[in-house]
């Protein structure tokens, strides 16, 4: 029987002892410098030649998708002299970080899709912030807490550090009140494998070894339980992927970027105002100085010729195309009176014996509406309400849901065509280069609208892209404040639904002002990747969020809820087992098309918002390189772990 390594039962543990326990004492001499000098970011794909920065002839680019990836790509190309047109499906830019106006407690506020943290190792995103001179739009949250339900684990607190591995992990162990509960026994092969995997990261080798198994399956046998409960489970979910559907290879990349390869620590910044005002609007304004942005765009056809894109046809506002398209039966949505087809943000409802289908895409910002107990369709994002036949009865949506005629019904498949077809011809735009920078549902819809012979492998890669479980946030306006000893954004673990809490009345100015005036508070709970079967309705989500709020902050049981806003979307990228090999890269086998988005296979470690921005800049770099121009220097953490085997 192997002997278990146990830590001394004392309140302080020396760095030397910890290094010995983790088996890294032999590398201290090599890494001692990192205790005293902060490691610098790694430059990816550095151009050694002095090449021109600005293009000296007319070259045009169409970027489809106005989220962070598309904004970053368009921004860089505009700065280099390209003629750029950015088109976006929604009325607002920003994608997953978009903002919109809401009415609450008799006032107007800016709402968004949940709190976003700006980590110091978001080098490429932070470089845009510096260039735009908008650093003052952000504020430091100083520290970051992780609180566990129950009494088994004490709260963890993460602060800035300037030490690389192994010192950052040693510092974490010294500061952790749960270090005696990590459960690491390096005499066990499984435990040693875990430690070597996350400390010796090598991208291709990592995915070869671990992309075939889910996190949930990986930890079922001989895994350090404390390590899983304290770090792996909460941080796996913060990637917006559920452990049962997330590749271990992806989790290792995530951990390397945020922990083992990151010398910056886990404290981060938040925006002083909403994300749209603080970040999206400044980038858009910079693009519009020499480029063009079109919102509320419905791409109807992508014309290809000789294996490349020759043009894009589109309509603006509620105009619909006459081109028929097919959708598959949705087996996860059940209703006695309706059948559902499509998925994600392209879902259609068909009443029994009806010859028409109603699009469940909200005409405000493109969220998927859901049928409520009153028989009407409610938008989970912004509160719009539509009748059972799609008529708008409550804003902020202004238009009815689109309706489609059923041209053909075959087994579990429908062929649809718009009922209210526009009488005018679509707009057509042509360019030298095209960038698809949408989310996963968006790029899959674009390929359905692409005609001609396009590389079959690329089509297959796009079709196989996965969407993670849905996420939800609920923001509460309450008539009283409360004491809170943790960080203003705190990760939570052990709850049925809730994964984090944000105290907006202590972060964003609009809510700070309201709280000072009223004595109230504005609190948001976030569920990163919940199971629809467990919470099938909006009321299920609202009820659970509110009950868990009182569990998290018992003081609020006596407070009055003045207003609630629920945001519920299903469009985050999924990273399931076996997906890495088939994930499309920036430059597919279509000569004038490039991909950007957090679903693109990235050649260096990155995550979340930094992954989106980096993918956009990488697409811009591909175009710059083809035109013989100097590429933008892209930065990342050390791309490889220190303890490689």
């Amino acid at each position: 029987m192997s002997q278990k390594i146990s830590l001394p039962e004392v309140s302080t543990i020396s760095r030397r002892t910890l290094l010995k326990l983790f088996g890294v004492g032999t590398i201290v001499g090599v890494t001692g410098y990192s205790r005293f000098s902060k490691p610098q970011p790694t430059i990816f794909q550095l151009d050694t030649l002095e090449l021109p920065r600005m293009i000296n002839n007319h070259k045009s680019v169409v970027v489809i998708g106005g989220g962070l990836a598309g904004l970053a790509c368009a921004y860089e190309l505009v700065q280099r002299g390209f003629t750029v047109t950015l088109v976006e499906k929604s009325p607002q830019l920003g994608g997953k970080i978009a903002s919109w106006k809401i009415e609450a407690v008799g006032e107007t506020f800016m709402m968004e899709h949940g709190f976003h943290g700006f980590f110091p190792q978001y080098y490429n995103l932070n470089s845009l912030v510096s260039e735009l001179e908008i650093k003052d739009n952000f504020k430091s949250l100083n520290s970051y807490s992780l609180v566990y339900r129950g009494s088994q684990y004490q709260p963890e607190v993460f602060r800035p550090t300037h030490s690389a591995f192994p010192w950052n992990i040693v510092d974490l162990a010294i500061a952790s009140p749960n270090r005696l509960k990590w459960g690491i026994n390096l005499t066990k092969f499984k435990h040693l494998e875990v430690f070597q995997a996350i400390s010796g990261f090598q991208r291709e080798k990592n995915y070869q070894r671990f992309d075939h198994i889910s996190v949930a399956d990986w930890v079922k046998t001989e895994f350090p339980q404390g390590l899983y409960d304290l770090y792996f489970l909460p941080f796996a979910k913060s990637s917006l992927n559920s452990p049962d559907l997330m590749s271990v290879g992806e989790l290792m990349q995530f951990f390397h970027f945020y922990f083992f390869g990151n010398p910056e620590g886990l404290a981060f910044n938040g925006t002083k105002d909403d994300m749209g005002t603080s970040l999206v609007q400044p980038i858009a304004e910079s693009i519009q100085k020499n480029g063009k942005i079109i919102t509320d765009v419905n791409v109807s056809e992508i014309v290809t010729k000789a294996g490349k894109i020759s043009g894009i046809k589109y309509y603006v506002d509620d105009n619909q195309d006459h081109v028929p398209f097919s959708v598959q039966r949705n087996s996860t949505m059940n209703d006695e009176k309706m059948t559902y087809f499509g998925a994600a943000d392209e879902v259609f409802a068909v009443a029994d014996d009806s010859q028409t289908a109603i699009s469940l895409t909200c005409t405000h910002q493109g969220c998927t509406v859901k049928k409520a107990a009153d028989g009407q369709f409610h938008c989970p994002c912004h509160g719009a309400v539509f009748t059972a036949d799609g008529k708008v009865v409550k804003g902020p949506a202004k238009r009815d849901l689109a309706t489609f005629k059923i041209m053909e019904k075959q087994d579990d498949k429908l062929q649809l065509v718009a009922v209210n077809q526009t009488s005018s011809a679509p707009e057509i735009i042509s360019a030298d280069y095209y960038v698809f920078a949408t989310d996963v549902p968006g790029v899959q819809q674009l390929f359905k609208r692409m005609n001609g012979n396009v590389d079959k492998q690329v089509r297959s890669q796009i079709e196989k892209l996965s969407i993670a479980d849905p996420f939800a946030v609920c923001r509460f306006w309450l008539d009283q404040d409360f004491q809170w000893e943790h960080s203003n954004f705190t990760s939570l673990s052990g709850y049925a639904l809730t994964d984090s809490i944000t105290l907006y009345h202590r972060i964003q100015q609009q809510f700070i002002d309201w709280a000072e005036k009223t004595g109230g508070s504005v609190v948001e709970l976030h569920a990163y990747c919940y199971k629809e079967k467990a919470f099938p309705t909006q009321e299920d989500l609202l009820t659970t969020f509110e009950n868990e709020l009182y569990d998290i902050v018992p003081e609020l049981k006596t407070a009055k809820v003045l207003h609630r806003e629920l945001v519920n979307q299903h469009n985050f990228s999924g990273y399931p087992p076996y997906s890495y090999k088939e994930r499309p890269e920036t430059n597919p086998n279509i000569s004038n098309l490039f991909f950007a988005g957090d679903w693109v296979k990235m050649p260096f470690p990155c995550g979340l918002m930094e992954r989106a921005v980096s993918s956009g800049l990488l697409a811009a770099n591909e175009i710059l390189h083809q035109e013989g121009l100097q590429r933008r220097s892209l930065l990342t953490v050390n791309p490889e772990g220190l303890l490689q085997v």
Side-chain angles (χ1 to χ4, degrees), residues 28 54 56 60 69 102 130 145 186 231 305 307 338 381 388 472 493 501 507 518 623 640:
V28 174
M54 302 295 293
N56 58 11
S60 57
I102 63 164
S130 296
S145 300
L186 294 182
Y231 306 112
K305 186 176 181 180
M338 285 191 167
C381 296
S493 185
I501 180 172
I507 297 176
T518 64
I623 295 174
E640 295 187 343

Side-chain angles (χ1 to χ4, degrees), residues 338 347-350 356-360 377 387-390 401-404:
M338 285 191 167
V347 179
F348 302 86
V350 180
T356 60
I358 301 171
S359 169
L360 300 191
F377 292 109
T387 62
D389 59 353
L401 296 175
T403 54
F404 295 81

Side-chain angles (χ1 to χ4, degrees), residues 62-66 85-90 294-304 309-325 345-346 348 361 399 404 418 422 425-430 434-438 441-451 593:
V62 171
V63 179
I64 303 179
T85 302
L86 174 67
V87 299
E88 164 60 32
K89 179 180 180 180
S90 299
I294 310 173
T295 57
D296 221 356
V297 168
N298 173 27
V299 174
S300 60
E301 186 178 0
I302 298 173
V303 183
T304 65
I309 298 176
S310 60
I312 291 175
K313 296 181 181 180
Y314 67 92
Y315 297 90
V316 179
D317 299 327
D318 60 345
N319 291 328
Q320 298 290 331
D321 193 14
H322 66 279
V323 177
F325 60 95
D345 62 350
E346 293 283 347
F348 302 86
T361 300
R399 303 190 304 272
F404 295 81
T422 179
E427 300 285 341
I428 301 176
I429 185 171
S430 297
Y434 299 84
V435 180
F436 289 180
T438 68
V443 74
Q444 289 175 335
Q445 290 299 324
L446 288 177
F447 266 77
K448 290 179 182 178
R449 288 158 171 74
M450 188 179 294
N451 65 24
L593 174 64

Side-chain angles (χ1 to χ4, degrees), residues 229-296:
D229 293 341
L230 288 161
Y231 306 112
F232 274 71
L233 176 60
F235 284 104
K237 295 185 73 175
S238 69
S239 72
L240 305 168
N241 278 244
S242 177
D244 63 319
L245 297 175
M246 184 183 189
S247 156
V248 173
E250 190 61 35
L251 181 64
M252 293 298 100
Q253 193 269 166
F254 192 81
F255 260 74
H256 178 78
F257 180 66
Y258 284 97
F259 280 98
F260 281 73
N262 166 33
E264 309 287 354
L266 280 177
F268 46 76
N269 292 338
T271 56
K272 292 181 180 178
D273 294 301
D274 60 280
M275 292 286 286
T277 302
S278 299
L279 180 61
V280 175
Q281 187 175 321
I283 300 176
E285 289 174 351
S286 179
I287 293 169
Q288 287 175 310
K289 288 179 180 178
N290 292 295
K292 184 177 182 181
I293 296 178
I294 310 173
T295 57
D296 221 356

Side-chain angles (χ1 to χ4, degrees), residues 535-563:
F535 305 97
T537 69
Q538 300 302 290
E539 194 57 40
D540 292 327
L541 290 168
L542 285 168
T543 300
T544 306
F545 270 134
E546 188 163 341
N547 290 337
E548 291 188 341
L549 174 62
Y550 301 142
D551 192 355
I552 298 161
V553 189
E555 288 179 60
L556 292 179
K557 290 179 180 179
T558 60
K560 181 180 179 181
V561 177
L562 303 175
H563 185 77

